């Protein structure tokens, strides 16, 4: 049997990170992992409004899931609430944050400092969730040396050194599509195994690397589906017969 | 029984758009709707590479779902493929695009033209999916009148007039958090029923309005979960006993 070679070990990026129903990591389903940030967002909002305890029903409405699913998800964390009282908001924030790994400090590098990279560098929602933007990197000599969000923009030639020096564990790719795979290969070669990809391209990575892709048009497409229905789209016509 | 009043009719934004398992729109489950853009993205990539037909297995791998789920999702569209041949890529692109309403031309207004609004205005992924950025609106006199991505930035005071004149049906909110609810109320009052919210705030809208929220940190949180596991996080310690 022939050796598979390095190419055979590479996968399309979504293959092992997006299968929503496959359990991994001691039986916590991937779909549950994907919902934990939604619960956390709702709980943070409640904590800010001084709410100390919350019923599974109220938390489910705030997070946009049904309450049976919420209770099942939280049971994976060993969190069952108290009958007639509900969940302690602060403790549940801690439990979910710990589960997601957000009680650690994650050093993030943003590669590509155009409008999107700048928006991400200034995005308040990262810091409050345990993500520290530790490095900004760009190829454009006009941009290198600028200070953005308190950080000096460094040159792409120094990418590997910057990642090591700053202890970067997650790389955010906000480069043009044409540059993304090369940057990806370089950060993988230097040991990074978590990549958030904003570039409009499917990246090839080894199996051991997790890539999440943000496609800014996907939520718009879901809105368009409902907008079409409201306006009486093709299937609505069938419905009304 | 007292009248419920307008406040009672308002809902947290996620309540009716995010319940992933509730069927709506002639039995197409919301979770299927959310996966259709992933299939479409994979199919566009195949079409660009000149692939004419694709098996459900290959399309499932490219989209990151299991093939049984993919076949079930596509059956909701009346698309079953041909045994031994698979799906016709071009026709399936058409079917999914039509289902999502992307064969129409959707005029989108972006309100808030900071770094994020500019990044969105220049985002190539919108146009190729049927979304046309038809208006840019900002409150900053320094920005109003600028040309970005070929569009003149208009003043927030003219928001209602701009929406009507350009036939805007979807509004993208990229304002600071403090301004988002007021802008939201104004666009809802003028008849907009689809809002994509990038502002870090939960919007109150009437039941008839769909709001999708993009939290740029959510994908990072999912990466952190796996990164923690690779590094031997708290539950890995339990695993190894």
């Amino acid at each position: 049997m022939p050796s598979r070679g390095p190419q055979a070990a590479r996968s399309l990026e979504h293959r092992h990170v997006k299968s929503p129903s496959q359990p991994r990591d001691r039986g916590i389903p991937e779909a549950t992992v994907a919902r934990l940030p939604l619960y956390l967002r709702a709980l943070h909002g409640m904590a800010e409004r001084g709410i100390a305890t919350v019923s599974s029903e109220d938390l489910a409405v705030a997070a946009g899931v049904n309450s049976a699913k919420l209770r099942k998800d939280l049971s994976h964390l060993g969190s069952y609430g108290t009958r007639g009282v509900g969940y302690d908001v602060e403790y549940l924030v801690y439990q979910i944050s710990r589960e997601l790994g957000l009680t650690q400090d994650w050093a993030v590098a943003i590669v590509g400092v155009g409008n999107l990279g700048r928006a991400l560098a200034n995005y308040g929602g990262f810091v409050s969730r345990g993500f520290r933007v530790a490095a900004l990197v760009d190829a454009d000599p006009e941009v290198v040396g600028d200070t953005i969000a308190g950080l000096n923009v460094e040159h792409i030639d120094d990418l590997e050194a910057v990642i090591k020096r700053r202890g970067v564990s997650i790389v955010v790719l906000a480069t043009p599509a044409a540059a993304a795979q090369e940057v990806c290969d370089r950060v993988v070669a230097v040991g990074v195994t978590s990549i958030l990809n904003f570039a409009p391209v499917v990246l090839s990575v080894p199996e051991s690397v997790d890539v999440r892709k943000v496609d800014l048009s996907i939520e718009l497409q879901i809105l368009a589906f409902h907008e079409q229905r409201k306006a009486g789209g093709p299937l609505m016509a069938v419905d009304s017969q």
Side-chain angles (χ1 to χ4, degrees), chain A residues 33-85:
Chain A
V33 173
R35 282 189 293 269
L36 293 179
L38 307 180
Y39 303 149
L40 194 56
R41 180 170 63 188
L43 287 163
H44 274 293
M46 290 168 181
E48 282 162 20
R49 295 199 301 279
I51 297 170
T53 57
V54 62
S55 68
S56 58
E57 288 75 17
D58 287 351
L59 180 54
V61 167
V65 303
N66 75 57
S67 58
K69 182 168 284 180
L70 174 122
R71 283 190 296 270
K72 187 163 186 209
D73 283 343
L74 295 183
S75 73
H76 288 297
L77 279 61
S79 192
Y80 298 93
T82 306
R83 184 172 291 274
V85 177

Side-chain angles (χ1 to χ4, degrees), chain A residues 134-164:
Chain A
L136 301 176
V137 181
D138 203 283
D140 182 355
E142 293 282 307
V143 174
V144 172
D146 281 4
T147 300
I148 296 169
L151 283 170
N152 182 43
V153 178
E154 301 180 85
H155 197 280
I156 190 74
D157 285 353
D158 302 326
L159 179 63
E160 290 82 358
V162 168
I163 286 173
K164 286 180 183 169

